């Protein structure tokens, strides 16, 4: 399973980007925000894929990666469907805390994945490279407040759920989000201890039902 990767970066986080690049297990390109527009930056980061790769990984600038992140991701992606998104982060606060906590309890120490209808956290995620050209053609017509939700809408419309790694392979650094109005402590429910190469990805998945409905309720409350 081959992957390419790129860092989605904002100039305000240049120091973080340099540190993140040093922590990764291989060199990856950095795609800088050129006009304070996360949708434009996100799309260009997606389009920075290697056409010879099976998957493309977008890494946002404010994360701490587990050691051997990309090598571990290559191993992980051999155990998920080949046509949908994969997130390597399950958060504590958003988008629907109680439902996520139930799934986390179900996964416990016995499972390797949590499956939800959409991509609800985007700090580090992979998409099949075969889908990117079509996503790019559709991108300008989409409506969503955040980059990861816009990407999720395309996959949800095509009935391709998102698989989340359990444990998370990245952690937020803890700084405030650059997205206006987003507050709260951003932490993974469980961050990998040690190398990403040491995680067993063969132990099955917990499935969260009706997350699309729950997210629509959350989005409605956000704009009310």
């Amino acid at each position: 399973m081959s992957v390419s990767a790129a860092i989605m970066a904002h100039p305000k986080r240049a120091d973080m980007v340099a540190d993140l690049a040093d922590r990764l297990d291989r060199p990856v390109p950095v795609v800088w925000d050129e006009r304070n527009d996360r949708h434009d930056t996100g799309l260009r980061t997606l389009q920075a894929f290697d056409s010879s790769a099976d998957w493309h990984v977008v890494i946002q600038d404010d994360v701490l990666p587990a050691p051997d992140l990309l090598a571990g991701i290559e191993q992980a992606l051999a155990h998920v469907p080949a046509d949908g998104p994969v997130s390597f982060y399950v958060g504590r606060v958003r988008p629907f805390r109680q439902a996520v906590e139930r799934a986390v309890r179900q996964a416990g120490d016995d499972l390797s994945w949590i499956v939800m209808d959409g991509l609800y956290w985007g700090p580090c995620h992979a998409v099949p490279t075969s889908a990117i050209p079509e996503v790019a053609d559709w991108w300008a017509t989409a409506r969503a407040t955040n980059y990861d939700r816009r990407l999720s809408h395309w996959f949800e419309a095509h009935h391709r759920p998102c698989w989340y790694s359990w444990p998370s392979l990245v952690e937020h650094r803890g700084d405030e989000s650059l997205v206006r109005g987003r507050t709260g402590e951003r932490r993974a429910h469980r961050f990998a201890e040690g190398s990403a190469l040491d995680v067993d990805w063969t132990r099955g998945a917990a499935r969260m039902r009706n997350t699309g409905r729950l997210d629509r309720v959350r989005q409605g409350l956000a704009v009310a």
Side-chain angles (χ1 to χ4, degrees), residues 23 25 65-73 75 167-170 191-201:
R23 292 173 183 266
D25 47 323
D68 307 306
L69 175 69
L70 294 170
I73 285 175
Q75 289 189 353
S168 298
L169 297 185
V170 300
F191 182 47
E193 298 179 3
S195 170
L197 289 169
D198 294 336
V199 180
D200 180 359
W201 301 111

Side-chain angles (χ1 to χ4, degrees), residues 103-122:
V104 163
R105 288 194 296 271
Q106 181 184 347
D109 296 324
D110 301 320
L111 300 176
S112 304
W113 302 94
I114 298 173
V115 182
M116 305 186 202
D117 295 329
L119 175 65
Y120 303 125
W121 296 278

Side-chain angles (χ1 to χ4, degrees), residues 94-224:
R94 292 172 177 267
F96 15 83
R97 185 168 188 158
Q98 292 181 334
V100 173
E101 287 175 349
R102 286 195 296 272
V104 163
R105 288 194 296 271
Q106 181 184 347
D109 296 324
D110 301 320
L111 300 176
S112 304
W113 302 94
I114 298 173
V115 182
M116 305 186 202
D117 295 329
L119 175 65
Y120 303 125
W121 296 278
C124 179
H125 54 278
V127 298
T129 56
S130 59
I132 294 175
E134 190 172 346
V135 171
D137 288 342
W138 164 88
W139 195 258
T141 68
R143 295 293 180 266
T145 55
N146 297 318
Y147 153 76
D148 50 349
R149 296 302 301 123
R150 183 173 292 201
L151 180 61
S152 181
H153 286 174
W154 189 88
F155 284 103
E156 290 177 68
H158 289 78
H159 308 290
R160 303 179 192 180
C162 183
W163 286 57
Y164 292 79
S165 69
W166 185 249
S168 298
L169 297 185
V170 300
E171 177 63 286
H172 271 295
R173 290 178 180 265
D175 67 302
E176 288 299 317
S177 173
L178 294 179
V179 178
R180 185 173 60 184
R182 180 171 295 177
T183 60
E185 183 183 16
R186 297 182 297 156
R187 286 289 185 271
H189 263 284
R190 179 182 294 178
F191 182 47
E193 298 179 3
S195 170
L197 289 169
D198 294 336
V199 180
D200 180 359
W201 301 111
T202 66
R203 298 177 300 164
R207 295 181 179 269
M208 280 184 65
R209 305 298 181 184
N210 299 317
T211 54
R213 177 181 59 81
L214 289 169
D215 191 55
R216 286 191 294 274
V217 171
R218 182 182 72 93
Q219 294 290 334
L221 292 172
V223 300

Side-chain angles (χ1 to χ4, degrees), residues 9-64:
H10 195 283
K12 289 182 178 180
R13 290 177 170 161
D15 290 343
M16 289 186 187
V17 172
D19 182 69
L20 171 59
D22 285 343
R23 292 173 183 266
L24 293 176
D25 47 323
R26 66 190 68 166
V28 302
V30 177
V31 179
W32 293 100
D33 188 317
E34 297 175 346
R35 55 188 190 186
N36 201 32
D37 183 340
R38 58 188 178 275
H39 297 293
D40 173 73
T41 312
L43 177 58
R44 289 188 292 108
T45 309
L46 279 175
Q47 292 176 311
F49 70 97
D50 182 339
S51 60
S52 68
D54 300 304
W55 295 83
H56 184 58
V57 181
V58 173
I59 308 169
Q60 295 187 351
D61 53 14
D62 59 342
V63 302
L64 290 171

